[in-house]
Amino acid sequence: MRQTRYHGAFPNLRATTTMTFTLSDAAYGTDTPAAKHAMYADLRSQLQGLLSGETDFIANTANFSSLVFHTMPGLNWAGFYFLKGEELVLGPFQGKPACIRIKKGRGVCGTTVVEGKSIVVQDVHAFPGHIACDVNSRSELVVPVVAHGQIIGVFDLDSPLIGRFDDVDAQGVESLVRVLEATIVAGEASN
């Protein structure tokens, strides 16, 4: 575990803020459900510390994407798409450049919005209408992000490995997204 402290990193800002959180240097396994449960419990704890006291949505989704991408094994993309009208628009992410806009009902992300639930795709080539932003992606997990009972976007994970994601991953990532959703409500309450 390492503790990171940012203090006065921007000297021109009037208010000095300190953010302290702990990140794990652990190498996580994904070969058993027990290993995955342990990984997600640790990630939840790290995410809670990382987002604690911060209500800025962009900052929180950027840090969320980075934490997941750099911690979970077997990923080649992790990021957000946010609903604007009838399409999803790219938000903070980690990985190669991505598709910017996805219509509701198209691809795994757009289908997640329409169905209102997480979708695990073992092999993206077998998913009708899959949108290939990265030709190296072989499996995908998409989880809806909800505020006030409405889907406002999705968190999307891609892997170059066939079968990388399962229901344990869906439940684990859903639990991480719930941590983020709590910051949305807290941010609105503080405004």
Side-chain angles (χ1 to χ4, degrees):
M1 300 288 244
R2 68 181 181 268
Q3 193 169 61
T4 304
R5 180 176 286 258
Y6 296 96
H7 180 74
F10 301 98
N12 295 332
L13 295 179
R14 293 181 190 261
T16 301
T17 58
T18 300
M19 177 173 75
T20 303
F21 54 91
T22 301
L23 296 177
S24 174
D25 289 328
Y28 296 104
T30 59
D31 52 338
T32 66
K36 288 183 179 189
H37 286 296
M39 175 183 68
Y40 287 115
D42 197 21
L43 276 171
R44 263 190 314 280
S45 175
Q46 292 178 63
L47 187 62
Q48 288 165 338
L50 187 59
L51 303 184
S52 177
E54 181 55 63
T55 58
D56 186 85
F57 189 63
I58 293 172
N60 284 341
T61 53
N63 271 334
F64 185 113
S65 298
S66 181
L67 176 67
V68 170
F69 183 78
H70 291 286
T71 306
M72 286 180 66
L75 301 182
N76 63 333
W77 203 89
F80 290 91
Y81 281 92
F82 299 115
L83 198 56
K84 297 199 184 229
E86 292 298 307
E87 62 186 3
L88 290 161
V89 179
L90 182 65
F93 71 93
Q94 299 283 308
K96 289 183 179 180
C99 302
I100 296 171
R101 296 177 184 273
I102 300 172
K103 293 196 181 298
K104 280 174 40 175
R106 292 216 44 230
V108 183
C109 291
T111 302
T112 296
V113 171
V114 170
E115 292 186 7
K117 64 180 183 177
S118 299
I119 297 178
V120 175
V121 179
Q122 297 289 317
D123 182 353
V124 295
H125 297 300
F127 188 88
H130 174 256
I131 300 169
C133 294
D134 181 347
V135 297
N136 295 316
S137 293
R138 295 303 308 269
S139 59
E140 189 168 3
L141 167 60
V142 182
V143 175
V145 179
V146 177
H148 305 291
Q150 300 292 316
I151 294 176
I152 62 167
V154 298
F155 183 61
D156 181 19
L157 295 174
D158 292 353
S159 173
L161 308 171
I162 292 176
R164 165 58 183 87
F165 307 109
D166 60 20
D167 289 338
V168 174
D169 293 298
Q171 293 166 6
V173 174
E174 287 167 357
S175 74
L176 300 177
V177 168
R178 300 296 89 79
V179 173
L180 174 69
E181 291 169 346
T183 70
I184 297 168
V185 174
E188 291 170 352
S190 68
N191 290 333

